[in-house]
Amino acid sequence: MVLAKKDTSTKLTGKQKAAILLISMGPDVSASVYKHLSEEEIERLTLEISGVRSVDSVKKEEIIEEFHDIAIAQDYISQGGISYAKQVLEKALGEERAANIINRLTSTLQVRPFDFARKADPSQILNFIQNEHPQTIALILSYLDAVQAGQILSELPQEVQADIARRIAMMDRTSPEIINEVEQILERKLTSTLTQDYTQTGGIEAVVEVLNGVDRSTEKTILDALEIQDPELAEEIKKRMFVFEDIVTLDNRAIQRVIREVENDDLMYSLKVASEEVKQIVFKNMSQRMVETFKEEMEYMGPVRLRDVEESQSRIVAVIRRLEEAGEIVIARGGGDDIIV
């Protein structure tokens, strides 16, 4: 029964275990896994697989079992955090085995700060943070899902909404100490999961995502206030609120209105590098003769400079924004106030 004993004479590296696992799963599953890896990871893993000569069945079963345990633990973490995963695993596998699995995971796993809050009801979070300093609120919102953060921002007093949006946009990196301190404010009321590393968050993209989740009146109130406080920031946020590719979210009548308003050259430049989905929806709202003319001219246009394309798209987005502000078209946003009945 010597083969039944665990081989403790040599310890396999993570790459060696991954190679053996992929070999055990077969070529079809391994190919699917490769699709999610970088070129460097594929190269390293393939090299490791090529070096595997033979693996005894006991070692293979150990590796598969380890992978299964870690996958289950990660699923539990996604449901309720590390504490929840540890509690469930202890009940299922015992304290020692659960501790080993969690230790293997947490040695490489980074759990995003406020992960527990992203599973909570927005109104519950609002109740706990509404009286906090605007910087504290901005930090928390920048870590939440965009829709969730947008709902909370919509419910905060109007006089602080723009200030919080500005703080999210200006945020760059936050130290672990500050993150830990803020997390502890919610830790006693919700459920906690903690990270001890610098994490990049906030920025203009974050505030754009949040504003895309609020209702139209809240968005306008915040942007109007930002235009007074920081005109350059307000303009940059406006530019990113609607990009050219978002034209697919407009209804047919709005797209036809935009086509009539913009310059043909701008539209041709923009469509030259646009996705197939954008091209189809724009051509769908043109006459057949116009579509043929556009396709013919675009074909003979030849290579175009990226800067020219971006400038053309910016002019089209500006037209769309102007038409929306004039009430001539509607851009679908969160909050439900743009629903047409």
Side-chain angles (χ1 to χ4, degrees):
M1 298 297 293
V2 176
L3 291 177
K5 292 182 180 179
K6 291 186 178 180
D7 182 12
T8 57
S9 60
T10 58
K11 289 187 177 181
L12 297 176
T13 66
K15 284 188 292 184
Q16 288 173 327
K17 289 180 180 180
I20 294 171
L21 180 65
L22 289 180
I23 292 171
S24 302
M25 291 190 299
D28 291 339
V29 176
S30 298
S32 298
V33 173
Y34 267 29
K35 293 178 182 178
H36 301 279
L37 302 178
S38 65
E39 289 186 9
E40 183 180 358
E41 289 170 332
I42 292 172
E43 184 178 332
R44 290 180 180 178
L45 197 50
T46 302
L47 185 63
E48 202 67 53
I49 290 173
S50 66
V52 176
R53 294 293 175 261
S54 63
V55 183
D56 66 74
S57 59
V58 174
K59 179 59 68 178
K60 183 172 71 173
E61 288 301 322
E62 288 176 11
I63 292 170
I64 293 174
E65 183 180 8
E66 180 181 346
F67 170 74
H68 177 264
D69 288 343
I70 290 176
I72 292 295
Q74 285 180 319
D75 185 45
Y76 289 149
I77 288 174
S78 68
Q79 293 177 38
I82 291 178
S83 297
Y84 171 76
K86 187 172 182 291
Q87 183 181 5
V88 174
L89 290 172
E90 283 178 350
K91 289 182 179 180
L93 308 173
E95 290 187 11
E96 184 178 352
R97 190 173 171 189
N100 289 335
I101 294 170
I102 293 296
N103 288 339
R104 285 201 301 268
L105 264 178
T106 54
S107 63
T108 56
L109 178 67
Q110 282 191 336
V111 180
R112 183 172 165 82
F114 299 98
D115 182 65
F116 66 94
R118 289 196 294 278
K119 300 177 180 67
D121 184 81
S123 61
Q124 187 180 19
I125 299 174
L126 174 66
N127 184 49
F128 295 141
I129 71 172
Q130 59 186 343
N131 295 321
E132 296 295 331
H133 189 278
Q135 187 66 23
T136 300
I137 298 174
L139 175 64
I140 294 171
L141 293 188
S142 62
Y143 277 109
L144 300 181
D145 291 332
V147 173
Q148 189 182 33
Q151 291 173 353
I152 295 171
L153 186 60
S154 298
E155 295 300 321
L156 289 168
Q158 286 190 2
E159 58 268 22
V160 301
Q161 289 175 344
D163 182 32
I164 291 171
R166 182 181 63 82
R167 289 173 185 271
I168 295 174
M170 302 303 292
M171 201 176 296
D172 184 16
R173 290 183 181 271
T174 307
S175 72
E177 292 78 13
I178 294 176
I179 293 176
N180 292 354
E181 183 180 348
V182 175
E183 277 191 310
Q184 287 169 9
I185 297 172
L186 296 179
E187 184 176 28
R188 295 185 298 271
K189 302 176 179 66
L190 300 173
T191 322
S192 164
T193 181
L194 201 59
T195 303
Q196 297 292 333
D197 193 10
Y198 282 82
T199 306
Q200 187 169 358
T201 186
I204 292 177
E205 289 298 334
V207 79
V208 166
E209 288 186 8
V210 171
L211 290 179
N212 276 331
V214 305
D215 58 87
R216 185 66 180 92
S217 60
T218 300
E219 176 199 306
K220 189 175 187 306
T221 299
I222 292 174
L223 287 176
D224 287 347
L226 280 176
E227 283 181 343
I228 298 172
Q229 296 177 17
D230 194 333
E232 290 185 5
L233 175 61
E235 183 57 27
E236 185 62 28
I237 291 173
K238 279 185 176 182
K239 286 179 182 177
R240 304 192 192 193
M241 287 293 292
F242 186 98
V243 296
F244 177 75
E245 294 282 332
D246 290 337
I247 198 169
V248 298
T249 64
L250 300 178
D251 61 33
N252 291 333
R253 187 168 62 176
I255 294 173
Q256 292 164 16
R257 184 76 174 86
V258 171
I259 291 172
R260 291 198 300 270
E261 283 291 319
V262 302
E263 296 291 333
N264 284 350
D265 285 346
D266 282 343
L267 195 52
M268 273 188 276
Y269 268 93
S270 299
L271 291 177
K272 179 76 175 177
V273 297
S275 67
E276 200 59 35
E277 182 183 12
V278 172
K279 289 178 182 176
Q280 287 179 3
I281 199 166
V282 171
F283 288 152
K284 176 185 173 183
N285 286 281
M286 290 180 177
S287 66
Q288 187 60 38
R289 183 178 177 180
M290 190 175 185
V291 170
E292 291 172 358
T293 301
F294 259 60
K295 287 183 176 180
E296 184 178 345
E297 292 192 24
M298 286 167 61
E299 185 178 350
Y300 288 102
M301 186 182 293
V304 293
R305 292 188 303 176
L306 180 61
R307 187 178 67 180
D308 292 336
V309 173
E310 290 175 344
E311 289 175 355
S312 293
Q313 291 183 348
S314 293
R315 285 192 288 269
I316 292 175
V317 169
V319 169
I320 292 172
R321 226 172 39 229
R322 174 173 57 78
L323 291 173
E324 187 203 23
E325 289 172 356
E328 297 186 35
I329 64 172
V330 173
I331 298 176
R333 285 182 171 84
D337 64 327
D338 286 332
I339 296 174
I340 300 174
V341 295

